[in-house]
Amino acid sequence: QVQLVESGGGLVQFGGSLRLSCAASGFTLDYYAIGWFRQAPGKEREGVACISASNGGTNYADSVKGRFTISRDNAKKTVYLQMNSLKPEDTAVYYCAAESNRAPPLIACHVGMDYWGKGTLVTVSS
C-alpha cells in the first residue's frame, strides 16, 4: 500500500525556517520523482519543488528559488523541503506527491501525480 505522510508544518514568524518531511512507504523511493506542492485558501494547488528519480536533479517555482531546498534520502525513504526566509505568502497546506518516472525535474512533477499525502499546514505570521 503506497503511502506518503507529511510532517513538520506549524506556525512560524516572518523570516523563520521550517523543514518539512515526506515519509514514503509501500514503494521503492529510488524510482520515483517527488514533488512538493502547496495550496493556500481560495487558490489553486501549485508546484513548489521537484526532485527527479533519474539523477536527483531539482526544480523550483520562481517564488521560492533561493529560499527552499528539496532533498531526498532514499535509504530513509524520506524527502525533505527546507524552507528558509519564510514569508506570509508562503502560508498554505503543503503536500508531497510521487510518480514513477525518469523525466527531468522540469517536467517530472505535476498536479496529476499518482500518489499524494494528506498535507501539513504551514502558517507564517507577519
Side-chain angles (χ1 to χ4, degrees):
Q1 179 181 355
V2 172
Q3 192 171 17
L4 296 170
V5 179
E6 303 93 338
S7 62
L11 174 64
V12 64
Q13 289 188 333
F14 176 83
S17 297
L18 283 175
R19 188 176 80 157
L20 305 184
S21 298
C22 172
S25 60
F27 64 98
T28 303
L29 186 63
D30 309 47
Y31 306 128
Y32 282 73
I34 304 294
W36 281 99
F37 297 78
R38 67 186 181 187
Q39 188 165 19
K43 294 189 176 181
E44 292 187 353
R45 191 169 297 188
E46 63 174 352
V48 174
C50 180
I51 188 163
S52 70
S54 56
N55 62 0
T58 58
N59 187 58
Y60 298 92
D62 288 343
S63 58
V64 307
K65 278 181 182 176
R67 300 188 298 122
F68 290 11
T69 303
I70 188 172
S71 62
R72 63 193 297 157
D73 186 333
N74 290 338
K76 293 184 177 180
K77 304 189 76 171
T78 302
V79 176
Y80 304 98
L81 185 68
Q82 178 66 44
M83 307 187 296
N84 299 328
S85 303
L86 283 161
K87 307 174 182 180
E89 51 263 45
D90 295 318
T91 295
V93 177
Y94 283 72
Y95 302 88
C96 63
E99 184 174 280
S100 179
N101 69 57
R102 304 291 287 179
L106 188 62
I107 60 172
C109 301
H110 51 88
V111 294
M113 296 183 85
D114 292 337
Y115 305 110
W116 290 80
K118 295 184 177 181
T120 185
L121 176 63
V122 172
T123 304
V124 184
S125 63
S126 56

